[in-house]
Amino acid sequence: MSGTNMKLVVVGAAGRMGQTLIRVISAMPGAVLFAAVERPGSAFIGRDAGEIAGLGPIGVTITDKPLEAFVDAEGVLDFTSPAASVEFSGLAAQARIVHVIGTTGSSAQDEAKFKAAARHARIVKSGNMSLGVNLLGALTEQAARALDPAGWDIEILEMHHKHKVDAPSGTALLLGEAAARGRDIDLAAHSVRVRDGHTGARAAGAIGFATLRGGSVIGEHSVILAGEGEQVTLSHSATDRSIFARGAVTAALWARDRKPGFYSMSDVLGLS
């Protein structure tokens, strides 16, 4: 199969990320847009996906029937919502294809459903699909391992555009998980999400999160390691949404010839 272009489906095709994915697929060798899906009732059903994405007509009509689209495809790219992604992972498992999930804000129950679908689908899921962020995660894990928690505090700061609905961002959580792995602790038991009023002194070993929202910021993330008299900051700035789309297509192409399973961008990039 690897000799031919990989037939990809974009779900949430009319959204900002959907349109970006359609443009990136058209420009990347090795992949072709096979189908585009929107939710039932969307005003975009029946429209040409290329026109919606600003490419002009490409002969792919937006549909509201994902299973029909998945059956003859090889992969689906999904930056939708947790409930929709769970549904799509079940359909991807039925069709036994690749499902790349860039959706954030999933619950533990959602994650369990993705892992169940990965018995038949090849699922690649990441809180951030960009190459730079996944490298930042690897560096964060290394730094957290190297610096003694008794003397070094870790804070994760993120800022996104005003339309983002989940907090902390999936990327901030990805970085928090990396720091927790480096320290060999459970993130949920050590994370501090909110500070307000008289909080008392900072607990040693805690991993703090700060969330900023405003304007059109695509994504800014910093991991701050604060020691006595010195501070190390690791940071990443996203200036163009297409970095996530390129990462997602790269992940799909990587997963094409893999066994069914649950993978991350660290696997795709050889960082794990």
Side-chain angles (χ1 to χ4, degrees), residues 8-270:
L8 297 175
V9 181
V10 171
V11 293
R16 275 181 308 189
M17 264 312 294
Q19 292 177 43
T20 305
L21 285 162
I22 291 164
R23 290 192 294 271
V24 164
I25 290 167
S26 76
M28 271 181 78
V32 64
L33 184 69
F34 177 73
V37 174
E38 260 297 335
R39 60 179 170 272
S42 163
F44 296 98
I45 304 298
R47 300 270 301 276
D48 186 287
E51 283 189 327
I52 299 296
L55 293 173
I58 56 172
V60 175
T61 303
I62 297 177
T63 174
D64 59 0
K65 298 188 169 53
L67 186 56
E68 283 179 20
F70 289 13
V71 165
D72 295 316
E74 294 173 87
V76 54
L77 307 180
D78 175 5
F79 291 75
T80 57
S81 67
S85 293
V86 166
E87 182 189 337
F88 293 138
S89 71
L91 299 177
Q94 278 181 55
R96 287 172 155 65
I97 59 174
V98 172
H99 184 195
V100 177
I101 306 172
T103 305
T104 60
S106 310
S107 68
Q109 290 93 321
D110 297 334
E111 293 290 335
K113 288 174 182 163
F114 295 138
K115 293 207 165 83
R119 291 200 289 270
H120 300 294
R122 298 185 289 293
I123 291 183
V124 182
K125 183 172 187 296
S126 177
N128 190 303
M129 291 282 160
S130 100
L131 191 62
V133 159
N134 284 280
L135 177 62
L136 178 62
L139 295 171
T140 298
E141 182 174 347
Q142 204 176 349
R145 186 171 289 124
L147 300 172
D148 183 352
W152 291 83
D153 300 319
I154 299 178
E155 293 283 308
I156 296 166
L157 174 66
E158 56 110 339
M159 182 165 185
H160 282 83
H161 53 86
K162 61 188 171 193
H163 303 291
K164 186 163 177 64
V165 296
D166 55 315
S169 68
T171 305
L173 293 170
L174 176 155
L175 296 170
E177 290 288 359
R181 267 198 312 280
R183 287 187 164 179
D184 203 18
I185 57 172
D186 173 48
L187 180 64
H190 290 84
S191 73
V192 175
R193 307 283 185 88
V194 180
R195 294 189 178 106
D196 186 31
H198 185 78
T199 58
R202 188 187 195 285
I207 296 174
F209 290 86
T211 299
L212 310 178
R213 292 286 177 266
S216 59
V217 177
I218 289 172
E220 304 278 339
H221 293 87
S222 295
V223 179
I224 301 161
L225 300 110
E228 290 298 325
E230 60 182 330
Q231 185 174 308
V232 176
T233 303
L234 303 169
S235 61
H236 178 273
S237 179
T239 54
D240 181 350
R241 203 166 259 109
S242 68
I243 63 172
F244 310 124
R246 280 197 298 275
V249 176
T250 302
L253 293 168
W254 176 88
R256 188 182 198 182
D257 298 322
R258 293 292 184 288
K259 313 195 298 289
F262 189 82
Y263 302 101
S264 72
M265 279 305 278
S266 296
D267 297 314
V268 175
L269 301 170

